[in-house]
Amino acid sequence: MSFTLFRNPFPSFIEHYDEVSSTNDIAFEILFEKGKKANGGIIVAENQSNGRGRIGRKWVSKMGDSLLLSLIFIPPENYFKEFIPLCAGLSVIRSIKKYREIDAKLKWPNDIVFDGKKLGGILVESKTMGTTPSGFVIGIGLNVKGKKDDFSLELRNKVSTIEEISKRECDKNELLKFLIKELKEIYNFSFSDKMLFMVELKREFIHRKGDRIKINLGNEILEGNFVEINDEGRMVINSKKGKRVIIHGEVESL
Ligand code: BTN
């Protein structure tokens, strides 16, 4: 039987803003100011003027429509850091399921998707802080209110919102409560039982063995067949050049 010696402090505090540049920026400011005391703090904003996405993208939102938050996390030294973004992904899909019975899935590594449309994304950033252990900021953006037509022409056919899928009005604060509960449980779970955590996580990806995959590695576009998400949370594909284990990348459909 496994048990945990680790209890995360989520949420140690919650700060709510109308508009910030990026909730991740505010979280880092607080982390540098308070050090370890910032662990478990959550920054929420109604809008961002300079929201960031993965691989240098912008994250655009409309005032009040999205759940935009950043969680400050200083993990214990022996915590497997690769799990940080994966835990966030699993927490988000579980909270959406519990809040509105939406069976959202993960597109590797941690895009939140439903029926091929993006519902949200996760950006984990880290900075070292002198003698204090490295701090991580887990940024989560979720399309909650409105309809896909509220998005730019470029995004319209690629995204959806929780209200649009559930056909019900949503309360972002209610969803936040569900999400915080899941974040707390899932991070503890990933620490106490890595194996079971990976088993449960792997079930939630949209990718199936043999799927044709095109993946942007930043400096290279790789094509191949999906093999698995391995126990470190990395994507394994069979490419022309043989088996490749991908640590960072953006999956584009073929
Ligand atoms: C992605 O899919 O590319 C990741 C998007 C992450 C967006 C969130 S919104 C809250 C937090 N603050 C940011 O500037 N980005 C993340």
Side-chain angles (χ1 to χ4, degrees), residues 90-226:
L90 186 58
S91 306
V92 171
I93 59 166
R94 287 202 174 176
S95 62
I96 297 175
K97 205 169 284 177
K98 289 184 181 163
Y99 179 55
R100 281 294 182 256
E101 290 158 17
I102 294 173
D103 201 14
K105 291 280 169 199
L106 294 170
K107 186 177 119 189
W108 187 86
N110 50 18
D111 273 0
I112 314 302
V113 294
F114 179 81
D115 208 10
K117 305 277 166 63
K118 186 157 169 168
L119 267 183
I122 291 159
L123 173 69
V124 175
E125 298 178 303
S126 71
K127 289 185 184 169
T128 39
M129 308 178 297
T131 52
T132 353
S134 283
F136 290 80
V137 166
I138 302 154
I140 301 174
L142 267 176
N143 307 332
V144 181
K145 302 187 85 67
K147 297 200 166 60
K148 68 180 168 88
D149 291 352
D150 299 333
F151 290 82
S152 66
L153 280 175
E154 190 202 342
L155 289 177
R156 208 161 279 181
N157 293 319
K158 298 180 184 161
V159 298
S160 191
T161 70
I162 296 178
E163 280 196 347
E164 190 162 56
I165 296 165
S166 65
K167 298 185 176 56
R168 285 172 69 188
E169 202 178 319
C170 292
D171 177 337
K172 287 189 282 130
N173 287 328
E174 275 300 301
L175 175 58
L176 179 62
K177 280 187 208 155
F178 279 85
L179 178 56
I180 290 173
K181 186 167 180 286
E182 293 301 323
L183 286 164
K184 190 166 184 70
E185 282 177 19
I186 300 290
Y187 278 92
N188 281 340
F189 176 37
S190 70
F191 192 86
S192 62
D193 198 336
K194 280 186 182 176
M195 297 288 281
L196 192 57
F197 164 71
M198 278 314 295
V199 169
E200 300 216 353
L201 175 78
K202 285 179 193 185
R203 284 195 198 121
E204 303 297 348
F205 285 101
I206 52 172
H207 316 289
R208 294 288 165 260
K209 204 173 171 120
D211 280 358
R212 211 55 203 144
I213 294 263
K214 187 173 172 187
I215 183 156
N216 186 345
L217 304 179
N219 54 356
E220 181 189 358
I221 306 271
L222 191 68
E223 287 186 24
N225 291 326
F226 175 75

Side-chain angles (χ1 to χ4, degrees), residues 35-70:
K36 284 180 187 166
K37 285 188 187 145
N39 196 11
I42 292 179
I43 314 305
V44 188
E46 292 300 312
N47 205 15
Q48 300 181 125
S49 54
N50 198 18
R52 290 193 291 279
R54 288 176 61 239
I55 53 169
R57 282 184 306 230
K58 278 187 183 309
W59 184 262
V60 184
S61 53
K62 194 173 143 201
M63 179 56 95
D65 274 2
S66 312
L67 183 57
L68 307 166
L69 69 119
S70 297

